[in-house]
Amino acid sequence: SKLFIDNNPKQASIFIRTQFSILFNSLLTSLHTLGKAGYGNAGGILAKPTTVFTGALLKGDLNTLRRASHQYFSVGDSFQKGFDHLKVVYRKSATNPTKVSYIMRDDIALKEIEEMKFMQEYAQAMDDVGEPGGKVMLSLWEQQQQLAEHPWLRFGPNGMGALDGFNRAMYATAEAKGRAFDAILESGQPVTKETLQEASDKIYKTFFDDSAVDFATRESALNLDSGVVDGVNTMVKKFPILRSIFWFPRTMANRIDLFRKWSPVDAVGVKGQFEGDFRAFTKMDYDDVPEEEVVRLLRSKGIDPTKNPEVEFRTKAAEYTGRVAMGTVALTGGLLMALNGRIRGNGHWDP
């Protein structure tokens, strides 16, 4: 059975796929789940400016601090754009969930069945020669697919996609304001609220396919690709029954990596290999980093290295400095509290 061993994962069983989609709908459709997703996304949104400001202050980088203040202080405009995009994404995902994969988390995204037309023609051809089995099986799958795509039953996954859409718009707004700030400075014009708003609005409209915005959105939603994720997904495709154990492999792998990003571990590197973000961007000042290394590092974060590479590099260096500093303080504080009996949980279940 393909449920246990699939010797040809490129032709996965559409019945098994649809059954898992229905199961995911059941698992995720609750206000509690959406609340947790919203809480996590809010943490990502708040962490971005906080870490940049903290890192820039620690490094004494006033230029990055000034740029970040123009990026992140327009809260009203950012929230308005975020809620507008949230509504658009939810409406699209409720209407046709297979068409919003750019924002839907990969662990729960519905895949479009490209072979549908062929299966319908095959079932009809079999029925014409007195073999109705094909049509019966196709009818069963279509009923399951309708359950999997029903907007009421996909309230949870669609809501999570909409929340990610909100994050995407927030990051796009900040990045657009940053690029607009750079462009105004280069033009020699004064940076005012009016000029920044006008320039950023023009850039914002082109930013939803921007790789830097996509990277930031996926990072905050714990949806980034990695070697661990690829390995687990390959194993699950080969043995689909393992999906009942590894429900959300991408989220699990990113959650583990989150500890690395916010802890002193991010400062570790072994002969230039397995470097954390903090070490990679701060081991040398920008002026001392080889150009090819700058290009590689920026591209690894979805950033175009041909557009203000120094500004982008220093901003990332500030973000990762702030991230490790804040995480280290929190980790040290938690350890000291634990050693002094201040962190003890709820106690034993049977005292």
Side-chain angles (χ1 to χ4, degrees), residues 64-83:
T64 297
L65 194 64
R66 182 187 176 202
R67 183 178 189 265
S69 66
H70 285 285
Q71 280 185 282
Y72 298 109
F73 280 173
S74 300
V75 178
D77 181 52
S78 299
F79 268 80
Q80 181 179 347
K81 288 183 170 69
F83 281 114

PDB file of all heavy atoms in Angstrom, residues 64-83:
ATOM      1  N   THR A  64      22.442  53.190  10.447  1.00  0.00           N
ATOM      2  CA  THR A  64      21.471  52.092  10.435  1.00  0.00           C
ATOM      3  C   THR A  64      20.313  52.406  11.373  1.00  0.00           C
ATOM      4  O   THR A  64      19.152  52.098  11.069  1.00  0.00           O
ATOM      5  CB  THR A  64      22.154  50.786  10.869  1.00  0.00           C
ATOM      6  OG1 THR A  64      23.169  50.450   9.916  1.00  0.00           O
ATOM      7  CG2 THR A  64      21.152  49.645  10.945  1.00  0.00           C
ATOM      8  N   LEU A  65      20.613  53.017  12.499  1.00  0.00           N
ATOM      9  CA  LEU A  65      19.568  53.383  13.452  1.00  0.00           C
ATOM     10  C   LEU A  65      18.588  54.384  12.846  1.00  0.00           C
ATOM     11  O   LEU A  65      17.360  54.257  13.007  1.00  0.00           O
ATOM     12  CB  LEU A  65      20.208  53.971  14.706  1.00  0.00           C
ATOM     13  CG  LEU A  65      19.317  54.121  15.951  1.00  0.00           C
ATOM     14  CD1 LEU A  65      18.862  52.753  16.436  1.00  0.00           C
ATOM     15  CD2 LEU A  65      20.075  54.847  17.044  1.00  0.00           C
ATOM     16  N   ARG A  66      19.116  55.359  12.132  1.00  0.00           N
ATOM     17  CA  ARG A  66      18.258  56.363  11.489  1.00  0.00           C
ATOM     18  C   ARG A  66      17.391  55.729  10.402  1.00  0.00           C
ATOM     19  O   ARG A  66      16.198  55.984  10.311  1.00  0.00           O
ATOM     20  CB  ARG A  66      19.130  57.464  10.883  1.00  0.00           C
ATOM     21  CG  ARG A  66      18.319  58.594  10.235  1.00  0.00           C
ATOM     22  CD  ARG A  66      19.223  59.559   9.508  1.00  0.00           C
ATOM     23  NE  ARG A  66      18.445  60.577   8.810  1.00  0.00           N
ATOM     24  CZ  ARG A  66      18.891  61.283   7.797  1.00  0.00           C
ATOM     25  NH1 ARG A  66      20.134  61.083   7.342  1.00  0.00           N
ATOM     26  NH2 ARG A  66      18.121  62.179   7.206  1.00  0.00           N
ATOM     27  N   ARG A  67      18.006  54.892   9.599  1.00  0.00           N
ATOM     28  CA  ARG A  67      17.247  54.217   8.531  1.00  0.00           C
ATOM     29  C   ARG A  67      16.154  53.335   9.120  1.00  0.00           C
ATOM     30  O   ARG A  67      15.008  53.328   8.641  1.00  0.00           O
ATOM     31  CB  ARG A  67      18.199  53.363   7.685  1.00  0.00           C
ATOM     32  CG  ARG A  67      17.550  52.645   6.490  1.00  0.00           C
ATOM     33  CD  ARG A  67      18.611  51.883   5.723  1.00  0.00           C
ATOM     34  NE  ARG A  67      18.124  51.339   4.474  1.00  0.00           N
ATOM     35  CZ  ARG A  67      17.677  50.104   4.319  1.00  0.00           C
ATOM     36  NH1 ARG A  67      17.634  49.274   5.374  1.00  0.00           N
ATOM     37  NH2 ARG A  67      17.255  49.667   3.142  1.00  0.00           N
ATOM     38  N   ALA A  68      16.466  52.572  10.173  1.00  0.00           N
ATOM     39  CA  ALA A  68      15.488  51.681  10.793  1.00  0.00           C
ATOM     40  C   ALA A  68      14.329  52.454  11.402  1.00  0.00           C
ATOM     41  O   ALA A  68      13.181  51.992  11.380  1.00  0.00           O
ATOM     42  CB  ALA A  68      16.165  50.823  11.853  1.00  0.00           C
ATOM     43  N   SER A  69      14.613  53.639  11.948  1.00  0.00           N
ATOM     44  CA  SER A  69      13.534  54.435  12.531  1.00  0.00           C
ATOM     45  C   SER A  69      12.530  54.858  11.468  1.00  0.00           C
ATOM     46  O   SER A  69      11.321  54.885  11.714  1.00  0.00           O
ATOM     47  CB  SER A  69      14.108  55.657  13.243  1.00  0.00           C
ATOM     48  OG  SER A  69      14.715  56.553  12.323  1.00  0.00           O
ATOM     49  N   HIS A  70      13.005  55.170  10.264  1.00  0.00           N
ATOM     50  CA  HIS A  70      12.091  55.506   9.172  1.00  0.00           C
ATOM     51  C   HIS A  70      11.354  54.264   8.666  1.00  0.00           C
ATOM     52  O   HIS A  70      10.217  54.356   8.187  1.00  0.00           O
ATOM     53  CB  HIS A  70      12.867  56.158   8.021  1.00  0.00           C
ATOM     54  CG  HIS A  70      13.273  57.574   8.281  1.00  0.00           C
ATOM     55  ND1 HIS A  70      12.372  58.632   8.223  1.00  0.00           N
ATOM     56  CD2 HIS A  70      14.470  58.120   8.613  1.00  0.00           C
ATOM     57  CE1 HIS A  70      12.999  59.758   8.500  1.00  0.00           C
ATOM     58  NE2 HIS A  70      14.272  59.489   8.746  1.00  0.00           N
ATOM     59  N   GLN A  71      11.985  53.101   8.768  1.00  0.00           N
ATOM     60  CA  GLN A  71      11.356  51.862   8.325  1.00  0.00           C
ATOM     61  C   GLN A  71      10.204  51.431   9.227  1.00  0.00           C
ATOM     62  O   GLN A  71       9.152  51.013   8.747  1.00  0.00           O
ATOM     63  CB  GLN A  71      12.397  50.722   8.287  1.00  0.00           C
ATOM     64  CG  GLN A  71      13.299  50.693   7.081  1.00  0.00           C
ATOM     65  CD  GLN A  71      14.185  49.476   7.113  1.00  0.00           C
ATOM     66  OE1 GLN A  71      15.188  49.419   7.834  1.00  0.00           O
ATOM     67  NE2 GLN A  71      13.824  48.478   6.339  1.00  0.00           N
ATOM     68  N   TYR A  72      10.412  51.508  10.531  1.00  0.00           N
ATOM     69  CA  TYR A  72       9.529  50.823  11.461  1.00  0.00           C
ATOM     70  C   TYR A  72       8.628  51.724  12.305  1.00  0.00           C
ATOM     71  O   TYR A  72       7.760  51.211  13.017  1.00  0.00           O
ATOM     72  CB  TYR A  72      10.359  49.938  12.393  1.00  0.00           C
ATOM     73  CG  TYR A  72      11.115  48.858  11.671  1.00  0.00           C
ATOM     74  CD1 TYR A  72      12.505  48.916  11.554  1.00  0.00           C
ATOM     75  CD2 TYR A  72      10.453  47.792  11.080  1.00  0.00           C
ATOM     76  CE1 TYR A  72      13.212  47.920  10.884  1.00  0.00           C
ATOM     77  CE2 TYR A  72      11.143  46.797  10.407  1.00  0.00           C
ATOM     78  CZ  TYR A  72      12.523  46.869  10.314  1.00  0.00           C
ATOM     79  OH  TYR A  72      13.214  45.890   9.641  1.00  0.00           O
ATOM     80  N   PHE A  73       8.829  53.049  12.253  1.00  0.00           N
ATOM     81  CA  PHE A  73       8.027  53.914  13.113  1.00  0.00           C
ATOM     82  C   PHE A  73       6.663  54.280  12.526  1.00  0.00           C
ATOM     83  O   PHE A  73       5.830  54.840  13.228  1.00  0.00           O
ATOM     84  CB  PHE A  73       8.797  55.189  13.465  1.00  0.00           C
ATOM     85  CG  PHE A  73       9.801  54.986  14.572  1.00  0.00           C
ATOM     86  CD1 PHE A  73      10.681  55.993  14.928  1.00  0.00           C
ATOM     87  CD2 PHE A  73       9.871  53.772  15.254  1.00  0.00           C
ATOM     88  CE1 PHE A  73      11.610  55.799  15.939  1.00  0.00           C
ATOM     89  CE2 PHE A  73      10.789  53.565  16.255  1.00  0.00           C
ATOM     90  CZ  PHE A  73      11.663  54.583  16.605  1.00  0.00           C
ATOM     91  N   SER A  74       6.428  53.988  11.241  1.00  0.00           N
ATOM     92  CA  SER A  74       5.123  54.298  10.633  1.00  0.00           C
ATOM     93  C   SER A  74       4.161  53.151  10.913  1.00  0.00           C
ATOM     94  O   SER A  74       3.752  52.399  10.014  1.00  0.00           O
ATOM     95  CB  SER A  74       5.277  54.525   9.129  1.00  0.00           C
ATOM     96  OG  SER A  74       6.145  55.601   8.872  1.00  0.00           O
ATOM     97  N   VAL A  75       3.787  53.005  12.162  1.00  0.00           N
ATOM     98  CA  VAL A  75       2.990  51.857  12.592  1.00  0.00           C
ATOM     99  C   VAL A  75       1.609  51.858  11.947  1.00  0.00           C
ATOM    100  O   VAL A  75       1.119  50.816  11.484  1.00  0.00           O
ATOM    101  CB  VAL A  75       2.860  51.851  14.130  1.00  0.00           C
ATOM    102  CG1 VAL A  75       1.981  50.691  14.584  1.00  0.00           C
ATOM    103  CG2 VAL A  75       4.228  51.770  14.779  1.00  0.00           C
ATOM    104  N   GLY A  76       0.966  53.010  11.903  1.00  0.00           N
ATOM    105  CA  GLY A  76      -0.389  53.081  11.351  1.00  0.00           C
ATOM    106  C   GLY A  76      -0.444  52.651   9.901  1.00  0.00           C
ATOM    107  O   GLY A  76      -1.307  51.851   9.503  1.00  0.00           O
ATOM    108  N   ASP A  77       0.479  53.152   9.093  1.00  0.00           N
ATOM    109  CA  ASP A  77       0.519  52.786   7.671  1.00  0.00           C
ATOM    110  C   ASP A  77       0.803  51.305   7.495  1.00  0.00           C
ATOM    111  O   ASP A  77       0.187  50.627   6.667  1.00  0.00           O
ATOM    112  CB  ASP A  77       1.593  53.624   6.972  1.00  0.00           C
ATOM    113  CG  ASP A  77       1.690  53.316   5.486  1.00  0.00           C
ATOM    114  OD1 ASP A  77       0.641  53.361   4.799  1.00  0.00           O
ATOM    115  OD2 ASP A  77       2.805  53.042   5.008  1.00  0.00           O
ATOM    116  N   SER A  78       1.729  50.780   8.296  1.00  0.00           N
ATOM    117  CA  SER A  78       2.088  49.359   8.192  1.00  0.00           C
ATOM    118  C   SER A  78       0.907  48.460   8.547  1.00  0.00           C
ATOM    119  O   SER A  78       0.623  47.476   7.854  1.00  0.00           O
ATOM    120  CB  SER A  78       3.273  49.048   9.114  1.00  0.00           C
ATOM    121  OG  SER A  78       4.403  49.809   8.755  1.00  0.00           O
ATOM    122  N   PHE A  79       0.187  48.801   9.632  1.00  0.00           N
ATOM    123  CA  PHE A  79      -0.948  47.990  10.044  1.00  0.00           C
ATOM    124  C   PHE A  79      -2.081  48.059   9.014  1.00  0.00           C
ATOM    125  O   PHE A  79      -2.758  47.048   8.759  1.00  0.00           O
ATOM    126  CB  PHE A  79      -1.456  48.437  11.419  1.00  0.00           C
ATOM    127  CG  PHE A  79      -0.838  47.688  12.549  1.00  0.00           C
ATOM    128  CD1 PHE A  79       0.433  48.017  13.002  1.00  0.00           C
ATOM    129  CD2 PHE A  79      -1.496  46.637  13.153  1.00  0.00           C
ATOM    130  CE1 PHE A  79       1.016  47.316  14.044  1.00  0.00           C
ATOM    131  CE2 PHE A  79      -0.930  45.932  14.191  1.00  0.00           C
ATOM    132  CZ  PHE A  79       0.347  46.270  14.643  1.00  0.00           C
ATOM    133  N   GLN A  80      -2.295  49.211   8.433  1.00  0.00           N
ATOM    134  CA  GLN A  80      -3.354  49.335   7.429  1.00  0.00           C
ATOM    135  C   GLN A  80      -3.060  48.449   6.233  1.00  0.00           C
ATOM    136  O   GLN A  80      -3.935  47.709   5.760  1.00  0.00           O
ATOM    137  CB  GLN A  80      -3.479  50.784   6.979  1.00  0.00           C
ATOM    138  CG  GLN A  80      -4.599  50.990   5.944  1.00  0.00           C
ATOM    139  CD  GLN A  80      -4.732  52.440   5.507  1.00  0.00           C
ATOM    140  OE1 GLN A  80      -4.166  53.328   6.128  1.00  0.00           O
ATOM    141  NE2 GLN A  80      -5.468  52.680   4.441  1.00  0.00           N
ATOM    142  N   LYS A  81      -1.836  48.488   5.747  1.00  0.00           N
ATOM    143  CA  LYS A  81      -1.450  47.641   4.616  1.00  0.00           C
ATOM    144  C   LYS A  81      -1.500  46.164   5.004  1.00  0.00           C
ATOM    145  O   LYS A  81      -1.886  45.301   4.203  1.00  0.00           O
ATOM    146  CB  LYS A  81      -0.054  48.019   4.129  1.00  0.00           C
ATOM    147  CG  LYS A  81       0.017  49.357   3.387  1.00  0.00           C
ATOM    148  CD  LYS A  81       1.427  49.606   2.871  1.00  0.00           C
ATOM    149  CE  LYS A  81       1.487  50.786   1.920  1.00  0.00           C
ATOM    150  NZ  LYS A  81       1.252  52.062   2.580  1.00  0.00           N
ATOM    151  N   GLY A  82      -1.104  45.867   6.254  1.00  0.00           N
ATOM    152  CA  GLY A  82      -1.133  44.486   6.706  1.00  0.00           C
ATOM    153  C   GLY A  82      -2.530  43.909   6.741  1.00  0.00           C
ATOM    154  O   GLY A  82      -2.775  42.805   6.253  1.00  0.00           O
ATOM    155  N   PHE A  83      -3.491  44.653   7.296  1.00  0.00           N
ATOM    156  CA  PHE A  83      -4.864  44.159   7.371  1.00  0.00           C
ATOM    157  C   PHE A  83      -5.507  44.087   5.980  1.00  0.00           C
ATOM    158  O   PHE A  83      -6.307  43.178   5.712  1.00  0.00           O
ATOM    159  CB  PHE A  83      -5.697  45.038   8.297  1.00  0.00           C
ATOM    160  CG  PHE A  83      -5.475  44.750   9.750  1.00  0.00           C
ATOM    161  CD1 PHE A  83      -4.888  45.695  10.588  1.00  0.00           C
ATOM    162  CD2 PHE A  83      -5.828  43.522  10.291  1.00  0.00           C
ATOM    163  CE1 PHE A  83      -4.675  45.422  11.932  1.00  0.00           C
ATOM    164  CE2 PHE A  83      -5.621  43.231  11.629  1.00  0.00           C
ATOM    165  CZ  PHE A  83      -5.037  44.189  12.459  1.00  0.00           C
TER     166      PHE A  83
END
